[in-house]
Amino acid sequence: MACVTDGAECAPWNEAQSSYTIVDHEYDAVVVGAGGAGLRAAVGLTESGLKTACVTKLFPTRSHTVAAQGGINAALGNMTEDKWQWHAYDTVKGSDWLGDQDAIQFMCKEAPKTVLELEHYGVPFSRREDGKIYQRAFGGQSLHFGEGGQATRCAAASDRTGHAILHTLYGQAKKAQCEFFIEYFALDLIMDDDGVCRGILALELDTGDIHRFKAHNTVLATGGYGRAYFSATSAHTCTGDGNAMATRAGIPMQDAEFVQFHPTGIYGVGCLMTEGCRGEGGRLLNSEGERYMERYAPTAKDLASRDVVSRASTIEIMEGRGVGEAKDHVLLDLTHLSEDLINERLPGIKETAWIFAGVDVHKDPVPVLPTVHYNMGGIPTNYHGEVIRPTEANQHATVPGLYAAGEAACVSVHGANRLGANSLLDIVVFGRACANRIAEKTKPGVPHPDLAASAGEKTIQNIDALRFADGKYPVATLRENLQRTMQNHAAVFRVEKTLKEGVDKFDQLTEDMKELKTYDRGIVWNQDLVEALELQNLHNQAIQTMYTAHNRKESRGAHARDDYPDRDDENWMFHSLSWMDDSGKVTLGSREVTMNPMDDEMPHVPPKQRVY
């Protein structure tokens, strides 16, 4: 075994790891993931003088933030009068009252400042004629606490807002001299005997070397796990790596059952057609040419909350009003919009529809279907980004040295359903919040304690087991089985029978995972190994989603049960918690929702019937 260090001696390892080169690093902070949340955290940390590493399995500008289209919510008031308190009300309502109101206040109040900060960093927002940032209508947004009609709150850079933000933040991180470790696959957290996070282990894909990053602070910003489903708008790299790292460290997941289906994924492909299409005036049609959302949401129509629109489209299909030979999708119609409007505000959508659906949006509607898009659940955190590991004595107890932000985290500002354009806001606000909290608590250059001699040993054993796995089932076979189980048993509508079947299938899949087969025995650029690691992470998250979905006996937000059609605040107004042990056994628990805002600057939003 070779052992290399950049300032600290490597801890001793046993002979089982003799075929690996171990490289040690020391940092004040390490960020895992280089999407919007990770990059904003990295910018803040480096600007505060902390020695910071950003570890990412992708080149930063390939992170999935680049695919976000519609925009970022903020009560700037550029198009109409607006207040952040109205934005907060919409977010609480959108969450179906499962969002924590203190975190929602924090996010919505920070939103205008956040967007202006991005503008000053260089994000090329679209402009009004007077030079102000252009804002478009988006779903679930209102004025005057739901009484004043549609809000125009979504700040946009054409229909490529995530692309613009990601590239800008990467430039700022490079300017601030953050150190990037690109194409390094994060494997596990390093936890000491006192439950303190001491850093991470990562696999350098180019060499096969194992890197141990000692860090006083670790930020998990690894995105969601949309690829647990067969059809998703997510990139194939969205495999819940950070969430699985936290699970293996004994940290629960929160609200895993809440999975958002975006109403308009391109039929048969899954590529996203942004909600901005409907914000600019697009409309959904059934086989009869009817604008059916007028029946389901008489006020908001096509701009109702995403879970409402996805269920409406699914009902139209189930009741025989779907489009096409199989009557299995609906249509998104933009043909009535002017050519100039589409070319200026939706140019990427026009291109996507032509490439992936063969449709000219000026002449024909686009075939669409509700498609998995976002995980509301994740690693539980407070609004400072500190990861929560509840105890019997303190349900808000935090994990020293560990933070999370973005889709990997569950703050929870989205609750049971996320509003469109709150995701880009979430990643930037809470990426910065992590950096600010770490800067408050950390002095640069503090020496690191020695790691335990066995730190990372279990991780290396797992890599060896995967490299030389010689069972019956290739990675692709098990992955497709997992994805189809999720697609069929944890879909838009859920019932006891299909959920219980899903739980049973996952119990069998857990056993099948022991019969994994890989083919590449090498260590350099071993894609077979990477996909096996990603499969383990997907299984880790998907099984918790299935178990918590089966457990929740109500309908709330994105979790819609035909057999329990109503929201049940008396029995189910709580966050689900789930743990998975090394054997694949899932244990469930709960945590109360924070119903009160931070202070009286935001009025409490009491639960009521959720209609649009």
Side-chain angles (χ1 to χ4, degrees):
M1 177 193 74
C3 190
V4 184
T5 179
D6 63 359
E9 291 187 9
C10 295
W13 289 60
N14 68 31
E15 293 181 2
Q17 288 81 43
S18 60
S19 61
Y20 297 92
T21 298
I22 312 301
V23 185
D24 276 355
H25 309 269
E26 293 188 352
Y27 287 91
D28 296 316
V30 60
V31 179
V32 185
L39 288 178
R40 183 58 189 86
V43 169
L45 290 165
T46 49
E47 286 182 342
S48 66
L50 297 173
K51 183 182 179 185
T52 304
C54 183
V55 177
T56 170
K57 69 177 180 180
L58 298 169
F59 191 82
T61 54
R62 291 184 60 222
S63 299
H64 197 54
T65 300
V66 79
Q69 298 169 348
I72 177 171
N73 285 329
L76 298 174
N78 287 351
M79 313 298 282
T80 61
E81 180 191 8
D82 205 356
K83 294 182 179 180
W84 67 259
Q85 289 91 342
W86 302 344
H87 180 192
Y89 168 85
D90 291 334
T91 301
V92 174
K93 178 182 175 182
S95 78
D96 218 350
W97 279 270
L98 204 72
D100 291 331
Q101 294 194 28
D102 57 345
I104 289 171
Q105 175 180 358
F106 181 87
M107 180 180 77
C108 296
K109 185 177 180 180
E110 289 287 307
K113 181 170 65 176
T114 296
V115 170
L116 294 178
E117 178 185 69
L118 290 173
E119 180 189 36
H120 296 162
Y121 277 158
V123 174
F125 285 107
S126 299
R127 300 285 170 176
R128 297 175 6 140
E129 288 187 4
D130 63 3
K132 291 183 178 180
I133 293 173
Y134 168 72
Q135 294 180 277
R136 58 165 56 109
F138 238 60
Q141 303 284 344
S142 72
L143 303 173
H144 296 283
F145 302 105
E147 303 296 327
Q150 177 67 45
T152 310
R153 186 176 291 141
C154 177
S158 187
D159 60 355
R160 302 186 178 98
T161 314
H163 181 280
I165 290 174
L166 188 69
H167 280 253
T168 300
L169 288 176
Y170 180 50
Q172 290 294 324
K174 292 295 288 183
K175 175 185 174 183
Q177 298 185 328
C178 177
E179 296 181 40
F180 282 88
F181 292 82
I182 295 170
E183 293 174 338
Y184 283 61
F185 192 100
L187 298 167
D188 276 309
L189 298 171
I190 300 173
M191 307 294 292
D192 69 16
D193 293 339
D194 296 321
V196 178
C197 182
R198 296 297 183 188
I200 66 160
L201 288 106
L203 172 68
E204 184 180 0
L205 302 181
D206 191 36
T207 64
D209 294 346
I210 303 297
H211 293 251
R212 291 186 298 192
F213 290 85
K214 292 183 184 180
H216 297 299
N217 304 280
T218 300
V219 181
L220 296 175
T222 50
Y225 54 97
R227 278 296 149 185
Y229 282 80
F230 188 74
S231 178
T233 65
S234 310
H236 288 282
T237 53
C238 296
T239 52
D241 303 334
N243 302 48
M245 290 165 67
T247 294
R248 288 191 290 269
I251 296 162
M253 293 298 104
Q254 181 170 289
D255 294 336
E257 66 266 41
F258 296 105
V259 178
Q260 182 170 90
F261 285 73
H262 195 288
T264 53
I266 293 180
Y267 172 69
V269 183
C271 296
L272 179 65
M273 297 289 284
T274 175
E275 195 167 312
C277 294
R278 287 170 283 135
E280 297 294 349
R283 55 199 178 192
L284 290 165
L285 306 176
N286 60 20
S287 60
E288 299 170 5
E290 177 197 10
R291 188 179 179 185
Y292 57 86
M293 283 309 303
E294 293 179 342
R295 284 189 278 112
Y296 296 93
T299 302
K301 300 183 176 66
D302 299 271
L303 287 176
S305 194
R306 285 178 179 172
D307 59 318
V308 174
V309 181
S310 289
R311 281 194 292 275
S313 297
T314 302
I315 291 170
E316 290 298 298
I317 293 165
M318 292 168 63
E319 294 184 351
R321 293 185 292 277
V323 177
E325 284 188 26
K327 293 185 174 294
D328 58 353
H329 60 279
V330 294
L331 297 174
L332 175 63
D333 183 23
L334 306 177
T335 57
H336 57 291
L337 303 181
S338 73
E339 188 169 337
D340 287 345
L341 185 150
I342 289 175
N343 289 339
E344 178 185 351
R345 298 181 186 171
L346 300 170
I349 285 302
K350 176 180 176 180
E351 182 180 19
T352 297
W354 178 250
I355 292 171
F356 293 103
V359 170
D360 181 345
V361 296
H362 299 298
K363 299 178 180 179
D364 297 297
V366 183
V368 294
L369 189 68
T371 306
V372 167
H373 182 61
Y374 190 87
N375 299 107
M376 273 71 74
I379 304 164
T381 75
N382 57 31
Y383 58 80
H384 299 298
E386 297 167 311
V387 170
I388 293 172
R389 182 171 50 200
T391 66
E392 288 188 13
N394 181 8
Q395 70 161 358
H396 302 293
T398 59
V399 181
L402 186 60
Y403 299 76
E407 194 175 352
C410 182
V411 183
S412 156
V413 287
H414 307 306
N417 172 71
R418 175 177 69 76
L419 291 186
N422 268 357
S423 56
L424 287 178
L425 178 61
D426 169 8
I427 63 178
V428 182
V429 166
F430 293 108
R432 181 176 62 192
C434 289
N436 290 345
R437 190 64 159 184
I438 291 169
E440 287 175 11
K441 299 172 71 172
T442 306
K443 183 179 179 181
V446 174
H448 292 262
D450 292 335
L451 298 177
S454 60
E457 186 175 325
K458 189 175 178 181
T459 303
I460 302 297
Q461 290 171 348
N462 181 56
I463 289 178
D464 267 348
L466 293 178
R467 280 178 62 201
F468 300 104
D470 196 28
K472 296 185 292 185
Y473 305 113
V475 172
T477 300
L478 291 174
R479 182 175 59 226
E480 182 175 351
N481 187 358
L482 180 152
Q483 291 171 332
R484 290 193 181 278
T485 299
M486 291 295 290
Q487 196 76 32
N488 295 332
H489 297 277
V492 173
F493 285 103
R494 303 166 176 182
V495 295
E496 176 69 22
K497 181 177 181 292
T498 56
L499 288 167
K500 183 62 171 68
E501 288 173 353
V503 167
D504 293 341
K505 287 185 177 183
F506 263 99
D507 289 342
Q508 181 58 51
L509 182 61
T510 299
E511 293 302 310
D512 292 345
M513 291 281 288
K514 299 173 184 176
E515 291 291 334
L516 179 69
K517 181 176 180 60
T518 56
Y519 296 90
D520 188 345
R521 305 306 187 206
I523 193 63
V524 174
W525 279 114
N526 186 338
Q527 190 63 26
D528 204 13
L529 171 62
V530 169
E531 291 187 14
L533 290 164
E534 290 177 331
L535 173 63
Q536 286 184 332
N537 294 338
L538 283 173
H539 172 261
N540 177 306
Q541 294 301 292
I543 192 171
Q544 294 183 73
T545 299
M546 189 65 73
Y547 266 81
T548 51
H550 176 247
N551 183 63
R552 185 174 283 272
K553 305 295 195 289
E554 67 160 351
S555 289
R556 185 186 297 271
H559 178 69
R561 290 194 57 157
D562 278 351
D563 45 354
Y564 297 94
D566 299 321
R567 194 179 79 201
D568 182 358
D569 290 343
E570 183 178 350
N571 296 305
W572 293 97
M573 178 73 88
F574 59 73
H575 295 301
S576 298
L577 296 179
S578 56
W579 293 259
M580 190 188 88
D581 65 19
D582 291 343
S583 70
K585 179 184 177 183
V586 176
T587 304
L588 301 180
S590 65
R591 188 171 163 258
E592 68 181 36
V593 178
T594 303
M595 297 300 293
N596 293 316
M598 298 165 63
D599 53 44
D600 58 9
E601 195 173 1
M602 169 183 158
H604 164 66
V605 184
K608 64 179 181 178
Q609 186 180 7
R610 182 169 169 258
V611 293
Y612 289 94

